[in-house]
Amino acid sequence: MSEKEDSATRIRQAAVEILLEVGVRAATTRMVTERAGVGRGLLNHYFRWSELRAEAWGEIFDRLIEQDAEQALGPEALMENYLRAAFDQSNRIYWFLWLDATDLAKTDAALAVVITRVQSRMLEQMAGYLRQGAEQGLWQASDPDGIALRLSALYDGLANMLLTDSTDLSAEQAEQHLRHLFFLETRLT
């Protein structure tokens, strides 16, 4: 790897680490350059800040999507993992990153592009699990794309409620609401 590639890689990796630590809004170029051990001029040479932040955010969620895809599990186990882990406290940083980025994307075109790409991948992946389960007779899914979208929308709303403590909703209750929608949508057998 050339010195140029090494510097760009260190900057990219530092951006991912900083986002995971402080979130999208709080992350700064200074934090990233200090973590990467480079000057701000070098960061600006390789990246525009909004594009680097968007790329780092996308990398975080691409890794999550790929982790799910790498599991050699059937659709029933994959959906159970999704429902069980959705509101696990260890995933709280991902809820925060997702909601923060979707809010910022209203004025940040680079982030909007990456969010659209990642969300499409996530919805396609879930719709694929739903299709496979229907094909195997595990549940019904006449509209897997619609079901995936509705599950995702409920997930986002419940995660937001948990993050903001706007209700007395517990993580267990949030999981039950998500499971209930899955049951209603698929008439799980």
Side-chain angles (χ1 to χ4, degrees), residues 7 10-11 14 29-40 42-43:
S7 295
R10 283 196 338 263
I11 293 168
T29 56
R30 182 180 188 145
M31 290 175 181
V32 172
T33 56
E34 286 177 0
R35 177 69 54 91
V38 300
R40 187 167 185 206
L42 194 57
L43 182 145

PDB file of all heavy atoms in Angstrom, residues 7 10-11 14 29-40 42-43:
ATOM      1  N   SER A   7      -2.512   6.852   4.145  1.00  0.00           N
ATOM      2  CA  SER A   7      -3.050   8.044   4.811  1.00  0.00           C
ATOM      3  C   SER A   7      -4.556   8.124   4.638  1.00  0.00           C
ATOM      4  O   SER A   7      -5.293   8.386   5.596  1.00  0.00           O
ATOM      5  CB  SER A   7      -2.404   9.315   4.250  1.00  0.00           C
ATOM      6  OG  SER A   7      -1.033   9.345   4.553  1.00  0.00           O
ATOM      7  N   ARG A  10      -6.177   5.473   6.825  1.00  0.00           N
ATOM      8  CA  ARG A  10      -6.154   5.860   8.250  1.00  0.00           C
ATOM      9  C   ARG A  10      -7.203   6.919   8.545  1.00  0.00           C
ATOM     10  O   ARG A  10      -7.880   6.861   9.572  1.00  0.00           O
ATOM     11  CB  ARG A  10      -4.761   6.363   8.646  1.00  0.00           C
ATOM     12  CG  ARG A  10      -3.759   5.263   8.855  1.00  0.00           C
ATOM     13  CD  ARG A  10      -2.493   5.691   9.618  1.00  0.00           C
ATOM     14  NE  ARG A  10      -2.157   7.089   9.611  1.00  0.00           N
ATOM     15  CZ  ARG A  10      -1.278   7.678   8.792  1.00  0.00           C
ATOM     16  NH1 ARG A  10      -0.662   6.946   7.877  1.00  0.00           N
ATOM     17  NH2 ARG A  10      -1.006   8.959   8.879  1.00  0.00           N
ATOM     18  N   ILE A  11      -7.363   7.866   7.647  1.00  0.00           N
ATOM     19  CA  ILE A  11      -8.354   8.922   7.840  1.00  0.00           C
ATOM     20  C   ILE A  11      -9.760   8.325   7.814  1.00  0.00           C
ATOM     21  O   ILE A  11     -10.599   8.624   8.668  1.00  0.00           O
ATOM     22  CB  ILE A  11      -8.197  10.033   6.771  1.00  0.00           C
ATOM     23  CG1 ILE A  11      -6.875  10.778   6.985  1.00  0.00           C
ATOM     24  CG2 ILE A  11      -9.384  10.988   6.799  1.00  0.00           C
ATOM     25  CD1 ILE A  11      -6.478  11.686   5.822  1.00  0.00           C
ATOM     26  N   ALA A  14     -10.323   6.302  10.969  1.00  0.00           N
ATOM     27  CA  ALA A  14     -10.487   7.209  12.116  1.00  0.00           C
ATOM     28  C   ALA A  14     -11.880   7.814  12.116  1.00  0.00           C
ATOM     29  O   ALA A  14     -12.513   7.951  13.174  1.00  0.00           O
ATOM     30  CB  ALA A  14      -9.427   8.307  12.075  1.00  0.00           C
ATOM     31  N   THR A  29     -13.643  17.314  12.174  1.00  0.00           N
ATOM     32  CA  THR A  29     -12.422  16.997  11.430  1.00  0.00           C
ATOM     33  C   THR A  29     -11.236  16.911  12.376  1.00  0.00           C
ATOM     34  O   THR A  29     -10.351  16.079  12.183  1.00  0.00           O
ATOM     35  CB  THR A  29     -12.144  18.061  10.339  1.00  0.00           C
ATOM     36  OG1 THR A  29     -12.082  19.345  10.945  1.00  0.00           O
ATOM     37  CG2 THR A  29     -13.197  18.030   9.264  1.00  0.00           C
ATOM     38  N   ARG A  30     -11.229  17.740  13.402  1.00  0.00           N
ATOM     39  CA  ARG A  30     -10.123  17.718  14.361  1.00  0.00           C
ATOM     40  C   ARG A  30     -10.026  16.362  15.064  1.00  0.00           C
ATOM     41  O   ARG A  30      -8.937  15.815  15.245  1.00  0.00           O
ATOM     42  CB  ARG A  30     -10.287  18.836  15.386  1.00  0.00           C
ATOM     43  CG  ARG A  30      -9.149  18.890  16.362  1.00  0.00           C
ATOM     44  CD  ARG A  30      -9.332  19.998  17.363  1.00  0.00           C
ATOM     45  NE  ARG A  30      -8.126  20.108  18.141  1.00  0.00           N
ATOM     46  CZ  ARG A  30      -7.633  21.231  18.591  1.00  0.00           C
ATOM     47  NH1 ARG A  30      -8.256  22.355  18.363  1.00  0.00           N
ATOM     48  NH2 ARG A  30      -6.527  21.239  19.287  1.00  0.00           N
ATOM     49  N   MET A  31     -11.167  15.835  15.483  1.00  0.00           N
ATOM     50  CA  MET A  31     -11.165  14.518  16.133  1.00  0.00           C
ATOM     51  C   MET A  31     -10.592  13.455  15.196  1.00  0.00           C
ATOM     52  O   MET A  31      -9.814  12.598  15.613  1.00  0.00           O
ATOM     53  CB  MET A  31     -12.591  14.116  16.527  1.00  0.00           C
ATOM     54  CG  MET A  31     -13.196  14.893  17.643  1.00  0.00           C
ATOM     55  SD  MET A  31     -14.934  14.344  17.820  1.00  0.00           S
ATOM     56  CE  MET A  31     -15.459  15.386  19.151  1.00  0.00           C
ATOM     57  N   VAL A  32     -11.007  13.528  13.945  1.00  0.00           N
ATOM     58  CA  VAL A  32     -10.563  12.533  12.959  1.00  0.00           C
ATOM     59  C   VAL A  32      -9.069  12.680  12.685  1.00  0.00           C
ATOM     60  O   VAL A  32      -8.339  11.684  12.666  1.00  0.00           O
ATOM     61  CB  VAL A  32     -11.389  12.645  11.660  1.00  0.00           C
ATOM     62  CG1 VAL A  32     -10.814  11.756  10.570  1.00  0.00           C
ATOM     63  CG2 VAL A  32     -12.851  12.290  11.933  1.00  0.00           C
ATOM     64  N   THR A  33      -8.600  13.896  12.478  1.00  0.00           N
ATOM     65  CA  THR A  33      -7.169  14.068  12.175  1.00  0.00           C
ATOM     66  C   THR A  33      -6.300  13.671  13.359  1.00  0.00           C
ATOM     67  O   THR A  33      -5.241  13.069  13.163  1.00  0.00           O
ATOM     68  CB  THR A  33      -6.855  15.519  11.747  1.00  0.00           C
ATOM     69  OG1 THR A  33      -7.294  16.425  12.762  1.00  0.00           O
ATOM     70  CG2 THR A  33      -7.510  15.849  10.418  1.00  0.00           C
ATOM     71  N   GLU A  34      -6.754  13.978  14.569  1.00  0.00           N
ATOM     72  CA  GLU A  34      -5.981  13.559  15.752  1.00  0.00           C
ATOM     73  C   GLU A  34      -5.929  12.040  15.840  1.00  0.00           C
ATOM     74  O   GLU A  34      -4.876  11.461  16.119  1.00  0.00           O
ATOM     75  CB  GLU A  34      -6.586  14.158  17.023  1.00  0.00           C
ATOM     76  CG  GLU A  34      -6.294  15.637  17.172  1.00  0.00           C
ATOM     77  CD  GLU A  34      -6.949  16.267  18.399  1.00  0.00           C
ATOM     78  OE1 GLU A  34      -7.643  15.564  19.168  1.00  0.00           O
ATOM     79  OE2 GLU A  34      -6.766  17.488  18.583  1.00  0.00           O
ATOM     80  N   ARG A  35      -7.048  11.375  15.619  1.00  0.00           N
ATOM     81  CA  ARG A  35      -7.084   9.908  15.675  1.00  0.00           C
ATOM     82  C   ARG A  35      -6.227   9.296  14.587  1.00  0.00           C
ATOM     83  O   ARG A  35      -5.528   8.308  14.811  1.00  0.00           O
ATOM     84  CB  ARG A  35      -8.540   9.442  15.546  1.00  0.00           C
ATOM     85  CG  ARG A  35      -8.765   7.945  15.506  1.00  0.00           C
ATOM     86  CD  ARG A  35      -8.481   7.237  16.833  1.00  0.00           C
ATOM     87  NE  ARG A  35      -9.203   7.787  17.927  1.00  0.00           N
ATOM     88  CZ  ARG A  35     -10.407   7.404  18.355  1.00  0.00           C
ATOM     89  NH1 ARG A  35     -11.018   6.411  17.763  1.00  0.00           N
ATOM     90  NH2 ARG A  35     -10.971   7.994  19.389  1.00  0.00           N
ATOM     91  N   ALA A  36      -6.266   9.882  13.392  1.00  0.00           N
ATOM     92  CA  ALA A  36      -5.506   9.342  12.256  1.00  0.00           C
ATOM     93  C   ALA A  36      -4.033   9.731  12.306  1.00  0.00           C
ATOM     94  O   ALA A  36      -3.212   9.148  11.587  1.00  0.00           O
ATOM     95  CB  ALA A  36      -6.120   9.822  10.945  1.00  0.00           C
ATOM     96  N   GLY A  37      -3.711  10.715  13.137  1.00  0.00           N
ATOM     97  CA  GLY A  37      -2.325  11.178  13.218  1.00  0.00           C
ATOM     98  C   GLY A  37      -1.884  11.944  11.991  1.00  0.00           C
ATOM     99  O   GLY A  37      -0.735  11.824  11.556  1.00  0.00           O
ATOM    100  N   VAL A  38      -2.805  12.723  11.419  1.00  0.00           N
ATOM    101  CA  VAL A  38      -2.491  13.532  10.238  1.00  0.00           C
ATOM    102  C   VAL A  38      -2.954  14.964  10.480  1.00  0.00           C
ATOM    103  O   VAL A  38      -3.739  15.232  11.393  1.00  0.00           O
ATOM    104  CB  VAL A  38      -3.181  12.980   8.960  1.00  0.00           C
ATOM    105  CG1 VAL A  38      -2.726  11.564   8.667  1.00  0.00           C
ATOM    106  CG2 VAL A  38      -4.689  13.055   9.055  1.00  0.00           C
ATOM    107  N   GLY A  39      -2.498  15.864   9.650  1.00  0.00           N
ATOM    108  CA  GLY A  39      -2.933  17.252   9.734  1.00  0.00           C
ATOM    109  C   GLY A  39      -4.229  17.463   8.973  1.00  0.00           C
ATOM    110  O   GLY A  39      -4.607  16.659   8.117  1.00  0.00           O
ATOM    111  N   ARG A  40      -4.891  18.555   9.289  1.00  0.00           N
ATOM    112  CA  ARG A  40      -6.158  18.875   8.643  1.00  0.00           C
ATOM    113  C   ARG A  40      -5.977  19.064   7.134  1.00  0.00           C
ATOM    114  O   ARG A  40      -6.851  18.717   6.342  1.00  0.00           O
ATOM    115  CB  ARG A  40      -6.765  20.119   9.266  1.00  0.00           C
ATOM    116  CG  ARG A  40      -8.149  20.389   8.751  1.00  0.00           C
ATOM    117  CD  ARG A  40      -8.860  21.411   9.563  1.00  0.00           C
ATOM    118  NE  ARG A  40     -10.213  21.518   9.061  1.00  0.00           N
ATOM    119  CZ  ARG A  40     -10.947  22.576   9.172  1.00  0.00           C
ATOM    120  NH1 ARG A  40     -10.488  23.629   9.808  1.00  0.00           N
ATOM    121  NH2 ARG A  40     -12.156  22.594   8.677  1.00  0.00           N
ATOM    122  N   LEU A  42      -4.046  17.427   5.147  1.00  0.00           N
ATOM    123  CA  LEU A  42      -4.039  16.125   4.482  1.00  0.00           C
ATOM    124  C   LEU A  42      -5.459  15.575   4.370  1.00  0.00           C
ATOM    125  O   LEU A  42      -5.841  15.035   3.328  1.00  0.00           O
ATOM    126  CB  LEU A  42      -3.127  15.141   5.226  1.00  0.00           C
ATOM    127  CG  LEU A  42      -2.768  13.873   4.478  1.00  0.00           C
ATOM    128  CD1 LEU A  42      -2.089  14.181   3.142  1.00  0.00           C
ATOM    129  CD2 LEU A  42      -1.862  12.999   5.325  1.00  0.00           C
ATOM    130  N   LEU A  43      -6.243  15.722   5.428  1.00  0.00           N
ATOM    131  CA  LEU A  43      -7.643  15.291   5.365  1.00  0.00           C
ATOM    132  C   LEU A  43      -8.340  16.021   4.222  1.00  0.00           C
ATOM    133  O   LEU A  43      -9.022  15.396   3.401  1.00  0.00           O
ATOM    134  CB  LEU A  43      -8.365  15.571   6.684  1.00  0.00           C
ATOM    135  CG  LEU A  43      -9.816  15.113   6.750  1.00  0.00           C
ATOM    136  CD1 LEU A  43     -10.159  14.639   8.150  1.00  0.00           C
ATOM    137  CD2 LEU A  43     -10.781  16.211   6.344  1.00  0.00           C
TER     138      LEU A  43
END
